[in-house]
Amino acid sequence: MLYLFLLFIFLLTLWGIKFKDNDDFLSKDRCNSIKGIFILVVLLKHAIQYINDSGFEYHGLDLIPHLFLSYSGQLIVVMFLFYSGYGVAYSILNKGEQYVNHMPRRRFLTTLLNFDVAVCAFILMNLVLSIPMSAGKIVEALFAWETLGNSNWYIFAILLCYALTYLVAKTVKTKNQWKWLFVVILIAELVLSCLKESYWYNTLLVYPAGFAFAVYKDNIVAWMKRYYAVLIVVLTAAFIVFFYFVPQTRALATKFASICFALVIVMLSMKIVVGNPFLNWCGVNLFPLYIYQRIPMIVMYECIGEDFVKNYALLFVVLALVVTCGIASLYKYWQIR
């Protein structure tokens, strides 16, 4: 009955939806609501990793979420990267040098320290559950290079993007920053390709794409409105071709497809207003929902057993969501600002 959770996400998306011209499609509320949809999909994808390990067999309608997540790949985090790039560029354009100077502390260090608090929670969990850890792995996990059961690659990726943005912003004039950001992130991708699996880097260029969108927002939006029908068809077709028909071993195809996907979502949000209190809350609390969701999953898998996960897969996902939302609602009490 796993398909019911995917249906829940779909119905949640429809709650409060409006079909109309939408000029605030890049406002915080709109972006948070869209991020809220995707973080729920991320939770389902992570939960299915444990469900697969339990020996769960997919039959009937349960093949739908399994196939959906198999074919969506890393697309479920694309909007996180696009909105992050857009938000950072927007802040630089409006706040200038003052914002750039505060980036090491407010963007990079704050994110890393909050991540490390979460890593400490995983260390404690592993000690209680007698899950082995080495000292070296713990040190690497604190820098998001290794995992102790927690999700880490996206945190490493966004920290890398923040660091490179700061470097570029301190050395290049605003209008040209997006060009150099593309260059340095592409170089970083090439380095990562020698050290990590492809999912660590194959969507990173979406971040500078969001940055460039903010720099040329007025011109891009005007163009999108003028040629809306043609552009959305072309971008959708390009995304489908490069993501599903060009071999994914060709890295540039994945990058181009990811950028096209982000632009399609942006264009759809110009005509479709998605948002309700729960989705917005999920978007606002994206970090704790993302970084703590594996704790209830691991605890249930290790303590209640894989038979429970196998026989009550839907309940496993629902309980993971409920507990994670509880953690996220309390996150403010230990969040480092």
Side-chain angles (χ1 to χ4, degrees):
M1 297 179 69
L2 276 175
Y3 69 92
L4 290 177
F5 193 84
L6 196 60
L7 179 61
F8 162 72
I9 297 174
F10 177 71
L11 294 176
L12 193 59
T13 303
L14 294 181
W15 174 22
I17 196 170
K18 297 175 183 177
F19 296 88
K20 65 174 187 177
D21 289 338
N22 176 31
D23 289 330
D24 73 336
F25 61 95
L26 285 170
S27 67
K28 282 188 177 181
D29 284 345
R30 297 286 76 78
C31 293
N32 281 332
S33 292
I34 292 174
K35 287 190 292 185
I37 297 170
F38 283 105
I39 193 60
L40 293 174
V41 177
V42 169
L43 185 141
L44 177 59
K45 183 169 185 175
H46 287 167
I48 280 182
Q49 293 174 3
Y50 301 95
I51 292 169
N52 289 341
D53 290 343
S54 74
F56 181 86
E57 296 182 3
Y58 295 91
H59 299 290
L61 292 176
D62 277 340
L63 287 169
I64 296 174
H66 178 67
L67 293 173
F68 170 75
L69 291 170
S70 296
Y71 283 102
S72 60
Q74 294 300 99
L75 294 175
I76 59 177
V77 300
V78 160
M79 296 315 296
F80 303 159
L81 289 164
F82 184 88
Y83 289 144
S84 291
Y86 174 85
V88 169
Y90 183 86
S91 295
I92 292 174
L93 290 169
N94 287 276
K95 299 177 183 177
E97 194 69 19
Q98 181 181 6
Y99 177 84
V100 174
N101 290 336
H102 287 147
M103 280 192 70
R105 182 176 66 86
R106 293 185 179 176
R107 283 282 184 174
F108 186 90
L109 188 59
T110 300
T111 301
L112 179 60
L113 290 177
N114 280 305
F115 172 74
D116 285 344
V117 171
V119 170
C120 289
F122 277 87
I123 292 172
L124 179 60
M125 178 195 71
N126 289 345
L127 290 172
V128 172
L129 298 178
S130 299
I131 298 175
M133 302 172 290
S134 66
K137 197 170 185 179
I138 290 173
V139 173
E140 291 179 324
L142 291 171
F143 293 95
W145 189 250
E146 264 295 349
T147 175
L148 299 175
N150 57 293
S151 300
N152 64 321
W153 80 264
Y154 177 78
I155 300 299
F156 181 88
I158 202 64
L159 287 172
L160 177 64
C161 288
Y162 289 158
L164 294 177
T165 301
Y166 175 75
L167 176 66
V168 169
K170 291 297 287 184
T171 55
V172 181
K173 292 182 180 179
T174 304
K175 283 292 183 179
N176 293 318
Q177 287 172 0
W178 69 273
K179 300 175 185 177
W180 284 100
L181 196 55
F182 266 104
V183 172
V184 295
I185 288 181
L186 187 57
I187 293 171
E189 286 189 1
L190 292 173
V191 175
L192 281 173
S193 68
C194 300
L195 304 169
K196 293 290 186 179
E197 296 88 344
S198 61
Y199 64 83
W200 276 70
Y201 56 85
N202 60 11
T203 54
L204 280 187
L205 285 185
V206 178
Y207 177 91
F211 194 101
F213 193 100
V215 174
Y216 297 105
K217 178 183 175 183
D218 292 341
N219 292 333
I220 294 174
V221 171
W223 209 56
M224 283 180 165
K225 288 181 177 179
R226 185 175 181 180
Y227 303 105
Y228 187 87
V230 173
L231 279 175
I232 199 164
V233 169
V234 170
L235 287 170
T236 302
F239 157 67
I240 292 172
V241 169
F242 281 95
F243 195 77
Y244 292 108
F245 293 100
V246 177
Q248 292 302 293
T249 50
R250 299 181 181 178
L252 284 177
T254 306
K255 303 178 199 313
F256 187 67
S258 299
I259 293 172
C260 288
F261 178 79
L263 292 175
V264 168
I265 296 296
V266 169
M267 291 195 72
L268 288 174
S269 65
M270 293 170 68
K271 300 289 185 180
I272 305 172
V273 181
V274 175
N276 57 62
F278 183 68
L279 286 180
N280 187 65
W281 182 86
C282 287
V284 170
N285 292 279
L286 180 70
F287 181 84
L289 288 174
Y290 174 77
I291 205 62
Y292 288 101
Q293 61 184 237
R294 287 186 184 270
I295 287 181
M297 295 177 192
I298 294 172
V299 170
M300 283 189 285
Y301 191 90
E302 295 292 332
C303 295
I304 306 178
E306 60 184 53
D307 286 341
F308 167 78
V309 179
K310 179 180 179 180
N311 296 324
Y312 302 98
L314 178 61
L315 180 59
F316 172 75
V317 180
V318 171
L319 288 175
L321 174 62
V322 171
V323 174
T324 306
C325 286
I327 294 172
S329 66
L330 298 172
Y331 174 64
K332 60 185 178 182
Y333 294 111
W334 65 83
Q335 180 181 10
I336 299 170
R337 298 182 182 277

